[in-house]
Amino acid sequence: MSPSQHPPVGVDAADRFRDASFPLIFERAAPGRRAARPPVVDGAPMAELLGEEHLRAQPPGLPEVAELDLVRHYTQLAHRQFSIDGNVYPLGSCTMKYNPKVHEEVAKRFQDVHPYQDEASAQGVLTVLAELQDDLASITGMDTVSLQPAAGAHGELAGILMIRAYHEAKGEGEQRRVVICPDGAHGTNPATASMAGYDVVEVPTGPDGEVDLDAFRAALGPNVAAVMLTNPNTLGLFETRILAIAEAAHAVGAQLYYDGANLNAIVGRARPGDMGFDVVHLNLHKTFTTPHGGGGPGTGPVGVKAHLAPYLPAPLLVRRDDGSVGAEGQRPTAIGRLRSHYGNVGNLVRAWAYIRTLGLEGLRRVSTMAVLNANYLRVRMREAGYQIAFDRVNMHEFVARPPDGLKTLDLAKMLLDYGVHPMTVYFPLVVREAMMVEPTETESIETLDAYAAVLGQVLRDAQRDPSLAHDAPRNTPVRRLDEVGAARRPILRYQVPQA
Amino acid sequence: MPYVPHSDDDVRRALAAIGVDDVETLFADVPEALRNPPIELSAPLDETALLKRVDELAALDRTTGPDFLGGGLRAHFIPSVTPHLAFQSEFVTAYTPYQPEVSQGILQATFEYQTMMCELTGLPASNASMYDGASAVAEAALLAVRQTKRETVLVSRGVHPETIEVLQTYLWPLGIALEVIELEDLTTPVPDVSSEVACVIAQNPSFVGTLEPMRSLADAAHGAGALFVAAVDPLSLAVLASPGEIGADIAVGDGQTLGNPVGFGGPSFGFMVVSEPLLRQLPGRLVGQTTDVDGKRAFVLTLQAREQHIRRSKAKSNICSNHQLTALMATINMAALGPQGLREMAEGSVRRAHQLADALRAAGGDVRTGARFFNEFVLCIDRDPATLRRALSERGIRAGVSVPEAFGLGFAVTLATTERTSDDDIAALLSALSDLGVLESSRQEVTA
């Protein structure tokens, strides 16, 4: 089917493929079936209570299915899904470590507390949050932490808005219009800066894989509001000149922002606060192993040094004189609220459980073994015939690329046929055909050996027979997709047959 | 318990392969002065000790008894099958579906989610979900600003107060003005909309429970070339006119009522569904249908040119993730209940609220509502809401969300019901309010 034959948005194309395709829940439905029954409350008709003009004309076209059909559908869908629990998932920059099962039990214990109930009747969950707030401040070396942001990018927005509020309070809001990001930065960094009303200036990566200090100094000036950095950076290298970078940024009055995506490399062993960072955000779904859930919910707490604390988003948790924990009202200088309530509490309590069970020694072992595993796999991958972008001791991840003539995309698809997940591909943008690998500390040496062996095998296969590369994957639930067609004529929903 | 599998021998073998003597050497790039700082953390707990601590803490939280808390989150019926299916390992421990060949589970479930949200809202294009209802409203306002190139946003006072705060946070850095339409008789009056207005935002049912004149508000917005944003409780759409029917351009809201626990406020998920002309302005992830090389139907993340990882500083939003797992819970929950089950839940909630309001009025309570209300309404009281909440809590009842001063009602709370509310719950609340003199004092005031 060529892209031009794709039907317009909302028009169902399913009929043509039904025989060959896995059904949608709508295609398993029949009128009158039900899986679950809520309590029924009899009484006056809705037209009487609500007024006819407020009622909908037709019921929504939701599927009607029996319970066992529902169970089979979503169980079979789960079987069409790769996961960490299934096999190794070494996505660079994503920290796909094991998610402990005991955290799920902990989360259930706090899931029925309502954020508007009497504070005295919610001291359990509030205590958990207050302890986490303090622990994250200690771990990052910051003075205060807000747990509110719902994801890393949301934490970035909070951080950059605080920096903006700080400059405005000093009367420098008009003057400081620029945020500096390295060219290897995560895409969220420049997107956040523009969402906060700033222009973005990129500085290049130097020949050693770190920020080019001369170019960086040249970009600095009185117009710079903030510098956003990840350390270790997206090449998996620690910015050895970080103290000089911090000093140079502060010398022109800019604030230094720490993107916490790569904290797993140094957790317990080094702190952004000690490096000179003024703001950090953390991705609890990375370093602190709250489940990724197929794309969220994440959680992105943000920590600051004392001079930025007046701008923190509410609510902050405080310990009252009587020993209880409560939420402090909005500070008059605060950037405001970023979302409703306290944050993604279900994830916050999981992260609390992780820190409680590891302690400082456990966290240090996490970063140590994460770095050991990444270096081990770098060596094994080099032996398997891959080029390493900056072949020196790396931190928790590294960037490789295939020999000339082979495409990263093809090799990634070939890996799928071996039942393992590819690394992050084509990022960072500063390395051609990039393969960004982050095994994390929870994989065993045997698993890394097996992964390296598969990497070697697909490379040999691709060199021997290019059609093997081109045609992969062959054994997955579906094979390569027409992504261009999907974007050109988007079909974003199933057209439910009219009742 | 760091979940690390390495034996001492594994570490020695790995170090030998890397060619370094000890693990400290791997951290040589970290400046000496920064290494191994003192960090104060509690001593580690094993699993038994952790769960004992959790038991102690959870015992401090009230999670049972009559519950009349709303304010955007309510403890509706969630069938056991919903969390059981959603919390399968494969769904919980997967990443964003960037390799679609091995991610059809999440991609297809999201396509089903998008379809269900379109059906509920009566609009044609849903994203894959967002952080929460409040931030989804803010993103809708930014969308309207991009689309209309106008720089004022009009929002009804009836929109959740925390949502209005989030709007302020998102709009000030871009210099967008936010103007509030004050309520009359707990209802949003149809405003004069100027040609500078990008969108009008109203919530239905409103924070104080009123069914708003949504059609008239949409017409007023469109008359001035502005968009109309309907912030809605998705469960209410089992019975209420959909945003599509009333002429909204964008439907947004929080999905908690579709099968997520109240969870102390999160995570649930935000949703955004838009009219066809706004499709390419949508922020956040989108899943589209396509085919694979064998012609099989398949699903994939699509229209990614809008997003931060491609567009960087030119992206529609910095949003990177969605709230996949909580949106999946809603998807499974909607399929479990079907249109009839959702309708029964919405109707039960409405009937219980009207029963409670009638009972309170009969007992002398100062109940306030708009012309029509859904499953939540205002009770004006004689004391600070926090004091009342505490007193009710001491009697085993969770009730009384504060109505902020900006509503001009003096001391007031909202009370909400669900299909789970029982006759006994209502009797308990009436008896407690009566004991506390809340109804008595109101009655005296009315008589005077």
Side-chain angles (χ1 to χ4, degrees):
Chain A
M1 179 161 166
S2 76
S4 62
Q5 289 172 296
H6 273 275
V9 180
V11 174
D12 175 38
D15 286 348
R16 275 169 267 177
F17 316 118
R18 186 162 290 159
D19 290 343
S21 302
F22 186 85
L24 291 161
I25 189 72
F26 298 92
E27 294 162 348
R28 295 184 189 255
R33 286 187 190 148
R34 303 179 65 173
R37 289 175 188 276
V40 173
V41 182
D42 293 323
M46 288 299 108
E48 188 180 308
L49 295 177
L50 304 180
E52 193 68 47
E53 71 279 15
H54 289 294
L55 302 184
R56 67 186 294 151
Q58 295 289 329
L62 299 173
E64 298 177 70
V65 293
E67 183 157 339
L68 181 55
D69 292 334
L70 180 83
V71 168
R72 290 207 174 128
H73 181 72
Y74 288 103
T75 302
Q76 288 168 13
L77 273 186
H79 294 165
R80 292 163 71 81
Q81 180 61 48
F82 193 94
S83 66
I84 310 171
D85 281 1
N87 215 336
V88 57
Y89 212 144
L91 285 170
S93 216
C94 303
T95 315
M96 299 298 285
K97 61 169 79 177
Y98 170 63
N99 307 139
K101 302 306 172 196
V102 67
H103 296 179
E104 302 306 305
E105 297 308 312
V106 173
K108 280 181 203 162
R109 300 300 306 276
F110 298 106
Q111 71 177 19
D112 295 321
V113 193
H114 195 292
Y116 289 139
Q117 74 189 57
D118 174 37
E119 216 169 74
S121 73
Q123 285 299 303
V125 67
L126 283 167
T127 300
V128 167
L129 299 183
E131 288 183 7
L132 179 65
Q133 206 173 274
D134 293 346
D135 287 351
L136 293 178
S138 301
I139 289 167
T140 55
M142 307 309 276
D143 293 312
T144 317
V145 167
S146 163
L147 301 174
Q148 217 200 18
H154 211 211
E156 288 181 33
L157 182 62
I160 294 298
L161 290 181
M162 284 189 273
I163 288 171
R164 184 164 162 175
Y166 167 78
H167 288 312
E168 288 187 355
K170 288 176 66 181
E172 296 179 1
E174 295 294 314
Q175 159 198 341
R176 298 187 182 274
R177 301 303 319 144
V178 166
V179 169
I180 294 179
C181 301
D183 57 1
H186 298 113
T188 49
N189 293 175
T192 298
S194 50
M195 213 170 163
Y198 285 118
D199 298 325
V200 178
V201 170
E202 287 201 346
V203 293
T205 301
D208 58 357
E210 298 182 34
V211 169
D212 183 326
L213 198 56
D214 291 336
F216 175 70
R217 287 202 167 110
L220 283 175
N223 63 331
V224 176
V227 177
M228 298 181 85
L229 286 182
T230 307
N231 195 18
N233 64 28
T234 58
L235 292 163
L237 304 174
F238 194 87
E239 296 282 355
T240 55
R241 296 180 288 271
I242 185 60
L243 295 172
I245 289 171
E247 196 184 338
H250 288 149
V252 299
Q255 295 285 290
L256 198 56
Y257 182 93
Y258 184 84
D259 175 334
N262 292 347
L263 186 74
N264 208 50
I266 56 168
V267 62
R269 286 184 155 270
R271 306 193 294 185
D274 299 335
M275 298 174 203
F277 286 94
D278 302 291
V279 191
V280 312
H281 89 259
L282 301 175
N283 303 84
L284 296 188
H285 44 288
K286 297 182 182 179
T287 314
F288 299 94
T289 197
T290 68
H292 281 77
T299 310
V302 60
V304 295
K305 293 278 178 63
H307 65 282
L308 292 172
Y311 311 103
L312 278 164
L316 290 176
L317 300 174
V318 291
R319 289 179 197 279
R320 302 201 193 287
D321 292 339
D322 62 1
S324 68
V325 179
E328 186 192 78
Q330 187 85 265
R331 298 176 180 187
T333 46
I335 56 165
R337 192 174 254 295
L338 284 152
R339 51 157 294 158
S340 301
H341 314 299
Y342 297 92
N344 282 343
V345 174
N347 285 342
L348 295 169
V349 303
R350 287 175 171 94
W352 169 86
Y354 187 60
I355 294 168
R356 274 288 159 280
T357 47
L358 264 61
L360 179 59
E361 282 313 306
L363 286 176
R364 281 188 178 155
R365 190 161 169 81
V366 163
S367 50
T368 306
M369 293 299 131
V371 170
L372 181 80
N373 269 358
N375 277 286
Y376 181 75
L377 189 54
R378 173 178 54 86
V379 170
R380 288 279 175 259
M381 218 168 143
R382 189 210 297 136
E383 290 167 359
Y386 291 82
Q387 299 169 13
I388 307 301
F390 294 88
D391 203 356
R392 64 184 228 205
V393 168
N394 53 268
M395 302 298 284
H396 67 305
E397 68 188 2
F398 62 95
V399 178
R401 62 170 164 248
D404 289 346
L406 294 183
K407 282 191 187 153
T408 288
L409 181 69
D410 290 340
L411 294 166
K413 299 303 182 194
M414 293 173 85
L415 289 176
L416 298 177
D417 277 334
Y418 285 88
V420 295
H421 203 277
M423 59 293 286
T424 295
V425 296
Y426 299 103
F427 186 84
L429 310 175
V430 292
V431 175
R432 180 178 50 83
E433 297 289 326
M435 305 176 116
M436 186 194 207
V437 192
E438 180 182 6
T440 84
E441 73 282 2
T442 59
E443 298 298 337
S444 68
I445 295 294
E446 289 87 341
T447 301
L448 301 185
D449 284 339
Y451 194 73
V454 171
L455 281 166
Q457 185 65 45
V458 297
L459 199 117
R460 286 190 296 279
D461 286 350
Q463 284 169 330
R464 178 169 53 85
D465 181 356
S467 75
L468 290 175
H470 182 262
D471 293 346
R474 294 155 185 273
N475 304 323
T476 45
V478 297
R479 299 180 56 212
R480 278 195 217 194
L481 305 186
D482 178 7
E483 300 194 22
V484 173
R488 192 166 295 163
R489 304 293 295 273
I491 304 171
L492 304 177
R493 63 170 174 143
Y494 173 73
Q495 190 69 42
V496 179
Q498 293 297 308
Chain B
M1 207 158 59
Y3 308 99
V4 169
H6 302 65
S7 66
D8 291 347
D9 189 50
D10 289 335
V11 174
R12 275 192 294 275
R13 274 171 49 215
L15 288 170
I18 298 164
V20 297
D21 293 334
D22 58 50
V23 291
E24 293 304 321
T25 313
L26 299 173
F27 290 87
D29 279 350
V30 179
E32 186 97 38
L34 300 176
R35 274 184 237 163
N36 299 326
I39 296 175
E40 286 205 12
L41 294 175
S42 311
L45 304 174
D46 63 20
E47 179 162 341
T48 306
L50 173 73
L51 292 176
K52 181 162 178 281
R53 178 72 182 135
V54 167
D55 280 344
E56 290 163 6
L57 289 167
L60 303 175
D61 296 337
R62 177 175 299 289
T63 56
T64 56
D67 172 11
F68 297 90
L69 294 171
L73 302 173
R74 295 185 307 273
H76 284 280
F77 167 65
I78 302 173
S80 306
V81 73
T82 293
H84 192 89
L85 288 176
F87 277 80
Q88 295 179 88
S89 261
E90 293 90 339
F91 292 137
V92 174
T93 74
Y95 191 67
T96 303
Y98 287 133
Q99 296 290 339
E101 297 89 345
V102 293
S103 305
Q104 288 299 301
I106 281 167
L107 287 162
Q108 177 170 328
T110 305
F111 185 79
E112 293 174 355
Y113 162 84
Q114 290 173 184
T115 304
M116 291 181 197
M117 295 315 294
C118 290
E119 286 296 323
L120 269 185
T121 59
L123 287 167
S126 166
N127 70 12
S129 74
M130 313 186 82
Y131 302 142
D132 75 338
S135 58
V137 171
E139 290 274 7
L142 295 182
L143 190 165
V145 167
R146 286 196 298 276
Q147 176 74 12
T148 62
K149 314 249 188 310
R150 297 176 176 187
E151 301 205 326
T152 298
V153 168
L154 266 186
V155 63
S156 158
R157 175 66 68 198
V159 171
H160 195 299
E162 292 191 19
T163 302
I164 295 180
E165 287 181 43
V166 174
L167 271 169
Q168 283 163 340
T169 307
Y170 274 66
L171 296 180
W172 73 257
L174 303 174
I176 311 297
L178 182 66
E179 293 175 10
V180 178
I181 311 165
E182 297 298 342
L183 303 184
E184 293 170 8
D185 300 327
L186 292 191
T187 305
T188 308
V190 176
D192 289 326
V193 183
S194 80
S195 60
E196 272 97 66
V197 172
C199 65
V200 176
I201 307 173
Q203 180 179 316
N204 195 53
S206 75
F207 178 70
V208 288
T210 304
L211 293 183
E212 297 279 16
M214 297 296 271
R215 286 187 175 86
S216 309
L217 294 170
D219 289 347
H222 293 156
L227 302 182
F228 183 61
V229 178
V232 290
D233 168 6
L235 180 61
S236 76
L237 298 180
V239 295
L240 292 182
S242 71
E245 283 175 286
I246 60 95
D249 303 283
I250 306 176
V252 280
D254 197 286
Q256 183 271 330
T257 54
L258 291 177
N260 279 265
V262 290
F264 209 51
S268 55
F269 65 95
F271 60 86
M272 185 183 293
V273 196
V274 300
S275 62
E276 187 105 31
L278 302 180
L279 166 62
R280 283 172 198 269
Q281 291 287 358
L282 252 183
R285 288 181 183 145
L286 283 172
V287 171
Q289 178 181 314
T290 186
T291 51
D292 77 352
V293 290
D294 297 330
K296 276 192 199 170
R297 178 174 60 189
F299 303 94
V300 67
L301 293 175
T302 194
L303 301 180
Q304 297 187 66
R306 303 161 297 114
E307 292 185 67
Q308 49 76 28
H309 63 287
I310 308 290
R311 293 282 284 167
R312 300 177 74 84
S313 64
K314 302 281 190 294
K316 303 298 181 197
S317 165
N318 78 338
I319 194 166
C320 179
S321 54
N322 58 336
H323 272 196
Q324 181 61 42
L325 190 61
T326 38
L328 175 69
M329 286 176 75
T331 309
I332 294 171
N333 201 58
M334 282 189 270
L337 288 155
Q340 184 62 23
L342 287 182
R343 184 181 179 83
E344 286 168 1
M345 287 167 65
E347 289 185 352
S349 307
V350 169
R351 288 185 181 126
R352 287 300 191 189
H354 286 73
Q355 179 188 345
L356 176 62
D358 290 347
L360 284 168
R361 279 190 175 118
D366 185 4
V367 169
R368 308 276 184 95
T369 70
R372 299 283 191 175
F373 67 101
F374 198 69
N375 66 338
E376 198 159 16
F377 58 85
V378 172
L379 179 69
C380 287
I381 56 177
D382 61 344
R383 66 201 78 182
D384 182 85
T387 311
L388 178 65
R389 258 196 317 275
R390 173 77 42 97
L392 288 171
S393 181
E394 283 162 358
R395 285 164 175 75
I397 296 169
R398 291 187 288 167
V401 174
S402 304
V403 177
E405 277 176 32
F407 285 81
L409 294 169
F411 289 141
V413 294
T414 59
L415 298 172
T417 56
T418 71
E419 73 290 341
R420 296 172 66 212
T421 309
S422 66
D423 290 335
D424 288 349
D425 293 342
I426 289 175
L429 178 63
L430 266 127
S431 154
L433 288 172
S434 174
D435 283 356
L436 292 166
V438 175
L439 305 176
E440 196 58 29
S441 61
S442 309
R443 186 188 296 156
Q444 283 165 356
E445 225 168 90
V446 172
T447 326

